[in-house]
Amino acid sequence: MRLNTSARPLLLRGRLRTLLLVGAAVLALAGGLLLTWPERAGAATDPLISRGKPATASSAETSSLGAKNAFDGDPATRWASVEGKDPQWIRVDLGASATVSRVRLAWEAAYAKAYRIEISADGAAWTPLATEAAGNGGTDDWTGLSGKGRYLRVHGTARGTSYGYSLFEAEVYGALDGGPPPGGAFTVAAAGDIAAQCTASDSGCAHPKTAALAQRIDPRFYLTMGDNQYDDARLSDYRAYYDKSWGAFKAKTRPVPGNHETYDPAGSLAGYKAYFGSIAFPQGKSWYSYDEGNWHFIALDSNSFDQAAQIDWLKADLAANSKQYVAAYWHHPLFSSGGHGNDPVSKPVWKILYAAKADLVLNGHDHHYERFAPQDPEGRASADGIVEIVGGMGGAEPYPIEQVQPNSQKRISGPYGVLKLEFTDSGYGWSYVGTDGQVKDTGPKYSCH
């Protein structure tokens, strides 16, 4: 079955050309692999097996738009074929024979109107797995596939534009022979301080642009770090603004509230709770936890860090945690070089997390991007400390950098964007991606405690 989301906005012509070819190649790969595993109804949960694998293509528009870009996991890069020529193809070598259940193709504006997804054991003889005859760009998500092979190819036979084929990403899901691939990798998109009272009809409105970027990343799930809706977070405002952008993936969002959620005249968190419902209160409180892979995620409400109930819950939650690594997120950062500065309200929570050997903390509140080296709750650099990232550039007006704090490694104020976080079973890393699709900063790769 192929699911298609709305087409992407037009980008640079070269980018459009690249995406079409990559999309064709990825679909071929994914289709072939998936078709050999028909009984796997849960294919959507199969691991990603194509990222970083060797890729080749029939052509590339320029040396910077090569086939490998379609498999690197970076939404700011793409593959593009030469212009004006059919057919074109892109293929990936999965490294071993694999059973494939799903292929996802993220096209640039230069898309394939017609293409085949093909699978091969030797890279010479190809078996068709799926065929598209009326493609319209955007994202094609082929699920329920069942195929077996080492090589997957997307073979574009008719362009949808006068340019070429271009793919932002081609993702193949399934299982390599001998078991799932190592790493347990998954991606998360995150931002705080999001929906100003504006819509996409206003060219200066940023939150529809960060929402589009987050969707293009296509993460396992989305995080928000509070102040999701301005100014008073009323239910009517959530429906009028946030819902028109980040609401598109509400069901996959794991939110926390910020201080603006407490300003609702109907009551603190009233609009927030009415809008998100059990998504934000899965355990009956405005704080909760969940697991993904080898990670334990803790979503906290920093408006009520002075309440013993939340602190006691946090201690019990950490004591009961069976996962090896811990990431936590809330609104008010303990450390920040922005206008709000360091907020001591978070220090008791930091002490608890530090004692539990937590790895990562995400915050919003200050409207800029900032990353810190590992440190302890006193702000002392420590190899076994917690890494903090401030990601308050989801759409609200940026704040300037004011007083640079110790251990601050990078600060960006101005460009709106989204955190793209990559988690594995042994570590994590991230990049800050701007709404122009460009990576503004890439953090270090950390091994977990």
Side-chain angles (χ1 to χ4, degrees):
M1 176 177 69
R2 181 182 69 85
L3 301 177
N4 177 265
T5 60
S6 59
R8 300 177 179 281
L10 293 178
L11 299 178
L12 295 177
R13 293 305 159 204
R15 211 171 184 77
L16 297 176
R17 296 187 294 268
T18 300
L19 283 176
L20 285 173
L21 283 176
V22 173
V26 173
L27 287 174
L29 280 172
L33 291 175
L34 292 171
L35 288 176
T36 61
W37 204 347
E39 73 277 11
R40 294 183 63 92
T45 63
D46 284 339
L48 176 64
I49 59 175
S50 57
R51 181 157 298 170
K53 298 297 178 66
T56 57
S58 54
S59 67
E61 182 183 0
T62 68
S63 60
S64 64
L65 297 173
K68 68 178 181 179
N69 293 347
F71 301 95
D72 64 3
D74 186 347
T77 64
R78 62 192 176 89
W79 164 76
S81 73
V82 296
E83 295 184 45
K85 292 184 179 181
D86 294 312
Q88 298 288 335
W89 54 263
I90 182 171
R91 83 176 194 181
V92 63
D93 179 356
L94 299 171
S97 181
T99 300
V100 176
S101 56
R102 176 189 176 200
V103 173
R104 179 183 178 277
L105 303 177
W107 296 97
E108 203 210 51
Y111 63 92
K113 181 179 180 180
Y115 62 87
R116 297 190 304 271
I117 297 176
E118 302 170 324
I119 192 75
S120 174
D122 58 6
W126 295 91
T127 300
L129 299 175
T131 300
E132 174 61 74
N136 61 356
T139 298
D140 289 337
D141 199 350
W142 294 85
T143 61
L145 299 178
S146 179
K148 193 175 184 69
R150 173 170 175 166
Y151 303 91
L152 192 141
R153 181 170 75 176
V154 178
H155 190 168
T157 56
R159 290 164 289 118
T161 71
S162 61
Y163 297 99
Y165 300 83
S166 183
L167 285 170
F168 286 113
E169 285 294 309
E171 297 174 340
V172 180
Y173 295 82
L176 296 171
D177 285 0
F186 62 95
T187 302
V188 174
D193 306 274
I194 298 170
Q197 294 186 351
C198 59
T199 64
S201 62
D202 178 357
S203 62
C205 190
H207 64 89
K209 299 173 185 177
T210 60
L213 170 62
Q215 282 189 295
R216 193 164 75 219
I217 291 172
D218 188 38
R220 185 72 56 85
F221 54 89
Y222 304 81
L223 304 183
T224 72
M225 286 91 79
D227 281 4
N228 311 292
Q229 178 59 61
Y230 288 83
D231 286 324
D232 300 329
R234 304 169 193 243
L235 177 58
S236 59
D237 290 335
Y238 265 105
R239 290 171 173 168
Y241 306 110
Y242 181 96
D243 193 61
K244 300 298 189 296
S245 57
W246 283 66
F249 36 86
K250 176 181 173 181
K252 292 178 62 177
T253 299
R254 314 288 175 82
V256 296
N259 51 289
H260 278 268
E261 272 73 34
T262 69
Y263 301 160
D264 188 344
S268 180
L269 308 190
Y272 171 76
K273 186 173 184 178
Y275 177 74
F276 283 110
S278 61
I279 293 172
F281 291 76
Q283 298 162 12
K285 302 291 184 181
S286 55
W287 52 86
Y288 56 97
S289 65
Y290 54 95
D291 296 330
E292 186 70 43
N294 204 24
W295 284 80
H296 184 61
F297 288 85
I298 305 175
L300 297 172
D301 179 359
S302 55
N303 299 299
S304 56
F305 276 173
D306 58 347
Q307 292 184 16
Q310 183 172 197
I311 300 303
D312 291 345
W313 173 88
L314 174 60
K315 293 176 181 177
D317 181 80
L318 287 166
N321 171 44
S322 62
K323 297 298 182 179
Q324 193 167 358
Y325 310 118
V326 174
Y329 59 104
W330 63 86
H331 189 57
H332 301 87
L334 177 57
F335 304 106
S336 174
S337 301
H340 289 300
N342 296 353
D343 197 327
V345 72
S346 298
K347 192 169 185 178
V349 170
W350 256 72
K351 288 183 176 180
I352 295 168
L353 292 169
Y354 182 74
K357 299 187 181 300
D359 299 277
L360 176 65
V361 163
L362 305 173
N363 302 121
H365 198 43
D366 265 332
H367 302 179
H368 70 279
Y369 162 79
E370 185 170 14
R371 60 176 165 91
F372 288 84
Q375 56 190 326
D376 68 15
E378 304 301 326
R380 296 177 296 227
S382 172
D384 63 351
I386 299 172
V387 171
E388 181 196 281
I389 307 173
V390 177
M393 293 299 295
E397 182 177 0
Y399 291 168
I401 302 300
E402 295 198 1
Q403 183 174 351
V404 176
Q405 298 299 315
N407 304 313
S408 175
Q409 294 182 317
K410 181 73 174 183
R411 300 157 300 281
I412 299 175
S413 178
Y416 294 101
V418 171
L419 296 177
K420 179 187 178 185
L421 300 132
E422 302 283 359
F423 296 92
T424 73
D425 279 349
S426 60
Y428 65 98
W430 73 92
S431 57
Y432 177 59
V433 186
T435 54
D436 59 0
Q438 301 300 306
V439 174
K440 306 300 183 182
D441 181 54
T442 299
K445 299 291 185 182
Y446 285 102
S447 296
C448 296
H449 298 151

